[in-house]
Amino acid sequence: MAPSPFLSPGPTSQPNSLALLALRRDQLTAINLKDSPDAVTNTRFGSFPHKTLINVPWGTQVRAYTVHGGHAKGSKKRKRAAGKESGHGKGEANGTGENEEDDDDIEAAATGFAHLVPPMPEAWTVSLPHRTQVVYTPDYSYVLQRLRVRPGDCLVEAGSGSGSFTHAAARAVFDGYGSQAFQGNEMGEKEGDGEDVGRRRKRKKYGHVYSFEYHEPRAKCLQEEIKEHGLEDVVTVTNRDVYEGGFCVEGAEEPKANAVFLDLPAPWMALKHLSRSPPEKLDLSIDQQNRDARTWRSPLDPRRTVHLCTFSPCIEQVQRTVEAMRQLGWVDIEMTELLHKRIDVRRERVGLQEEGLRGVNANPATVEEAIERLREVEARTSRFFEAQKENKSSKGAKEEADPLKAEVKDEANEVKPLSKKQRLDTIKEQVKERKIWKEGRLVHRTEPEMKTHTSYLVFAVLPRSWTQEDEEKAARKWPTNA
Ligand code: SAM
């Protein structure tokens, strides 16, 4: 199995592999890094030639460039015409350690940069092509934790939709390349129940997600993405209506799931396939039912407790789902609603009086301050006119009239403006003394817009099946005194 950039991204970006450009906090673009001099990703913040993004340590700030049409003739000319010697561009390091002296077709843009981040389910959720509503990070983190998904587990999901949950689930079940095959189960028993052991070993080695989607184009898109992302050994996407067809994989004794996530319009219609025994079909004769029972397979691992979660936007859907769960023997049924809010913590200016500020660029924060400030300006202006009257240097007086400019007086008591350097030094000194980052009142605000599609999460548990053989084994292991 080739390493997936989602599961093992390595320290640097690689050619012909997925990377994400973080343009803003919530704006990420997924790019397949092509090892070609002409490959460029254009964004509103500038163009990012792929050659400047390959072999770059993850997290690096990468600069935007102006691209002059690849290696086309005359690009040097155009570059000169565009005034290349403007401080950005020729010879400047481009963040990759390369020197652009020899690059004829690109130059650093005046502004624009991004951060190069490795593919992660969280980043993919923000950047993926939306084909449906998706499950967002706060929801799937909570769901996977409540489903107790661990490396080596087998999870069944329907519907796949845009594959947001699928990617998070793949990482959660992944057991590491080259790790030892999962050898036992909750009872400490070894494999040997007649199934294809080689196949089971392979699945157990990495953990597995079986994802079902009845919309054919969506299923195909996700299959392609999974392949591109190197996740095909961890995820199997099947195009199927699970209400009708259930969750078993044809020609294999699988999934043997211990975790189930249903993001479907009618989860109760899929629940009948998630049981330990065949569903009762009242329209069939007893004989037919018995025949069905012999060929029927459960998609659940008989040796493990199964944890289930359904994701539904309406309470009516929840009611029907809970009803079906009770009838089918699910226990510990519980509904949760997640409300995700991001809290923005920052410092906010308080009154100048409180802060003791009288400095340059200080804007009034209260009415009292504004009045005081006006009085100051008026006083300075009247001093200016008085100075004019007394035939003082008009330049010096002008400076004095400007309330935003500081002033010094020399020995002869003449007004002299501060030089630019002196003003900068004064500001630096003020910043050092005032600890400007600690100024203002610490406030926190919740962001009004919530980037989650809120739904009701219903959790339930199906205890492991218990056979006569298990009972006897347990009796031998823990003999009673009777
Ligand atoms: N969880 C997905 C994600 O995070 O990207 C989004 C799922 S989307 C809200 C619901 C999906 O269920 C749709 O793509 C829809 O086609 C699929 N679906 C609806 N009924 C289905 C059925 N009977 N069998 C399989 N998939 C079904």
Side-chain angles (χ1 to χ4, degrees):
M1 180 182 179
S4 159
F6 271 87
L7 303 173
S8 149
T12 57
S13 56
Q14 294 301 312
N16 306 314
S17 187
L18 190 74
L20 291 136
L21 266 186
L23 301 166
R24 281 179 173 182
R25 189 170 64 173
D26 283 332
Q27 203 180 339
L28 286 97
T29 302
I31 43 177
N32 211 349
L33 294 175
K34 295 199 189 89
D35 200 6
S36 145
D38 298 334
V40 176
T41 293
N42 296 309
T43 72
R44 54 187 290 219
F45 299 103
S47 301
F48 295 88
H50 290 200
K51 63 184 169 187
T52 66
L53 304 177
I54 291 172
N55 292 323
V56 174
W58 296 119
T60 301
Q61 191 186 72
V62 287
R63 297 184 61 183
Y65 288 83
T66 304
V67 179
H68 297 295
H71 290 293
K73 271 187 195 170
S75 59
K76 262 185 180 165
K77 232 188 225 171
R78 271 204 302 279
K79 200 159 52 183
R80 270 196 294 275
K84 187 166 185 329
E85 274 71 61
S86 62
H88 294 280
K90 195 162 182 170
E92 260 182 60
N94 64 0
T96 63
E98 282 175 34
N99 190 316
E100 284 165 47
E101 202 74 58
D102 300 329
D103 273 340
D104 285 345
D105 54 342
I106 60 172
E107 65 179 278
T111 54
F113 64 88
H115 287 90
L116 195 69
V117 292
M120 296 174 283
E122 294 76 17
W124 181 245
T125 296
V126 179
S127 62
L128 58 77
H130 276 232
R131 301 180 280 269
T132 57
Q133 280 272 28
V134 305
V135 179
Y136 286 98
T137 300
D139 289 304
Y140 63 59
S141 316
Y142 181 72
V143 169
L144 288 167
Q145 182 264 125
R146 285 286 309 259
L147 292 180
R148 302 191 186 185
V149 177
R150 292 175 297 178
D153 277 356
C154 180
L155 182 143
V156 156
E157 174 206 20
S160 322
S162 309
S164 168
F165 183 85
T166 320
H167 281 76
R171 183 183 56 187
V173 301
F174 179 65
D175 203 10
Y177 299 105
S179 64
Q180 287 303 303
F182 182 87
Q183 290 292 319
N185 54 36
E186 277 179 341
M187 292 288 285
E189 291 144 335
K190 296 272 188 307
E191 293 165 339
D193 45 7
E195 76 165 305
D196 176 349
V197 172
R199 203 186 153 85
R200 173 122 181 238
R201 278 237 171 87
K202 188 177 167 218
R203 163 168 66 76
K204 286 289 186 191
K205 194 168 173 179
Y206 302 129
H208 210 88
V209 175
Y210 289 91
S211 188
F212 296 87
E213 171 59 55
Y214 87 140
H215 188 266
E216 199 180 341
R218 264 177 231 157
K220 272 209 175 116
C221 269
L222 187 58
Q223 279 163 348
E224 278 160 25
E225 270 168 15
I226 292 296
K227 209 165 169 206
E228 271 170 27
H229 300 170
L231 292 169
E232 67 270 42
D233 282 329
V234 185
V235 179
T236 305
V237 182
T238 306
N239 174 212
R240 182 185 301 166
D241 175 352
V242 293
Y243 301 156
E244 281 298 314
F247 301 88
C248 285
V249 179
E250 272 128 39
E253 285 288 319
E254 287 176 17
K256 293 206 184 312
N258 62 287
V260 181
F261 178 65
L262 302 179
D263 184 359
L264 295 167
W268 59 94
M269 286 173 71
L271 280 177
K272 59 179 183 284
H273 300 288
L274 295 165
S275 64
R276 302 234 182 251
S277 47
E280 231 177 275
K281 288 184 185 156
L282 299 174
D283 54 331
L284 297 183
S285 68
I286 297 289
D287 270 2
Q288 185 67 45
Q289 289 216 24
N290 285 340
R291 264 201 297 278
D292 267 13
R294 278 196 290 277
T295 53
W296 187 86
R297 281 192 299 121
S298 168
L300 308 176
D301 189 336
R303 302 276 174 196
R304 297 185 68 179
T305 301
V306 179
H307 293 263
L308 163 78
C309 174
T310 65
F311 189 85
S312 307
C314 309
I315 200 72
E316 289 76 13
Q317 288 168 305
V318 170
Q319 284 168 332
R320 294 194 69 171
T321 306
V322 170
E323 209 175 287
M325 282 174 170
R326 285 193 183 132
Q327 284 166 12
L328 292 164
W330 291 84
V331 294
D332 282 353
I333 302 169
E334 190 189 297
M335 192 202 76
T336 305
E337 188 185 8
L338 281 192
L339 295 175
H340 166 228
K341 280 189 187 178
R342 190 151 42 203
I343 296 170
D344 197 14
V345 181
R346 68 163 96 113
R347 287 194 178 270
E348 212 168 60
R349 279 204 68 245
V350 290
L352 285 176
Q353 303 269 355
E354 259 175 77
E355 290 291 303
L357 293 179
R358 292 287 182 278
V360 210
N361 297 334
N363 295 319
T366 60
V367 176
E368 289 76 28
E369 249 179 54
I371 293 169
E372 196 188 320
R373 196 74 194 280
L374 273 173
R375 281 195 191 122
E376 245 175 60
V377 174
E378 269 170 24
R380 282 188 177 216
T381 315
S382 62
R383 266 196 315 229
F384 168 74
F385 285 118
E386 272 166 30
Q388 264 196 338
K389 265 188 212 160
E390 286 167 26
N391 283 335
K392 273 198 170 177
S393 137
S394 66
K395 193 167 172 265
K398 239 188 224 165
E399 292 289 353
E400 194 188 359
D402 184 345
L404 296 180
K405 284 192 180 165
E407 60 188 37
V408 283
K409 293 188 177 186
D410 65 9
E411 278 173 5
N413 216 20
E414 271 179 17
V415 179
K416 276 191 183 170
L418 288 175
S419 72
K420 201 173 168 188
K421 188 179 172 302
Q422 280 172 316
R423 278 214 302 275
L424 259 176
D425 286 346
T426 316
I427 290 171
K428 270 187 203 159
E429 214 36 57
Q430 275 185 348
V431 168
K432 244 196 245 165
E433 273 171 25
R434 279 163 38 187
K435 291 199 177 106
I436 209 157
W437 62 93
K438 278 194 163 180
E439 280 175 6
R441 196 179 291 129
L442 196 64
V443 291
H444 68 270
R445 294 220 167 79
T446 51
E447 281 190 344
E449 210 185 310
M450 282 193 277
K451 188 97 181 147
T452 60
H453 159 225
T454 52
S455 267
Y456 298 112
L457 301 168
V458 183
F459 294 96
V461 173
L462 192 65
R464 59 155 293 185
S465 57
W466 195 255
T467 60
Q468 182 61 34
E469 201 189 328
D470 293 323
E471 188 63 36
E472 285 161 11
K473 238 188 241 174
R476 279 199 297 277
K477 205 166 176 184
W478 301 290
T480 55
N481 290 331

